[in-house]
Amino acid sequence: MSVGQNVHANLRLFTEDNMRLGFITVLLVYQLVGEVISKGLDLPLPGPVIGMALLFATLLIRGRLPEGLGETANGLLKHLSLFFVPAGVGVVVHLHLIKSEWMAISVALVVSTLVTIAVTALLMTKLSKAEGEANDG
């Protein structure tokens, strides 16, 4: 197999799995811009979160989701479990910190879970009332 055929076969794998290299690059550029903003302005927000917000704003302004971007995102979501490997390795590497801070971590997990449930319930209640009023009116 020639080099050209090999490259073509590899590129076909991307399109077969709905993961286009150009759109992966777009996603990574937004993440990079978010990191630069986060570090440059010394914000407490992670760069990928800022990048995701910028991507969302861009898509709102455009008014539509490019078909290839949606396919690429779905392709990445199919393999989402792979993104947890570095986090798992980090937990194992820093296990001594978890052992020494287990109480604070446990309290943070419980409190954040309870707050999430409460906010979700309140939001659901308000949205249900608003929907009921819209249907009645």
Side-chain angles (χ1 to χ4, degrees):
M1 179 181 278
S2 72
V3 173
Q5 289 173 328
N6 193 15
V7 167
H8 182 68
N10 286 336
L11 289 176
R12 198 173 10 174
L13 287 175
F14 277 111
T15 56
E16 287 172 1
D17 203 15
N18 295 327
M19 296 177 66
R20 297 187 179 145
L21 190 57
F23 287 112
I24 290 175
T25 304
V26 168
L27 295 173
L28 290 174
V29 165
Y30 272 94
Q31 180 176 352
L32 175 64
V33 169
E35 282 290 343
V36 168
I37 291 171
S38 175
K39 299 292 183 205
L41 298 176
D42 197 29
L43 298 174
L45 223 59
V49 173
I50 295 171
M52 185 174 54
L54 292 172
L55 176 62
F56 181 68
T58 302
L59 293 174
L60 282 178
I61 291 168
R62 286 189 61 154
R64 65 179 180 84
L65 177 69
E67 184 179 318
L69 185 60
E71 291 174 1
T72 301
N74 287 334
L76 288 171
L77 287 173
K78 279 197 271 184
H79 305 291
L80 188 63
S81 60
L82 292 175
F83 295 114
F84 289 101
V85 171
V89 170
V91 167
V92 171
V93 168
H94 298 291
L95 200 55
H96 64 282
L97 291 174
I98 294 172
K99 286 180 183 176
S100 66
E101 300 292 334
W102 70 270
M103 182 59 91
I105 294 170
S106 298
V107 169
L109 285 172
V110 170
V111 169
S112 65
T113 300
L114 293 174
V115 168
T116 301
I117 291 170
V119 169
T120 303
L122 289 172
L123 186 61
M124 187 65 186
T125 302
K126 288 188 183 221
L127 290 175
S128 295
K129 286 180 184 177
E131 184 178 340
E133 291 172 4
N135 290 338
D136 292 340

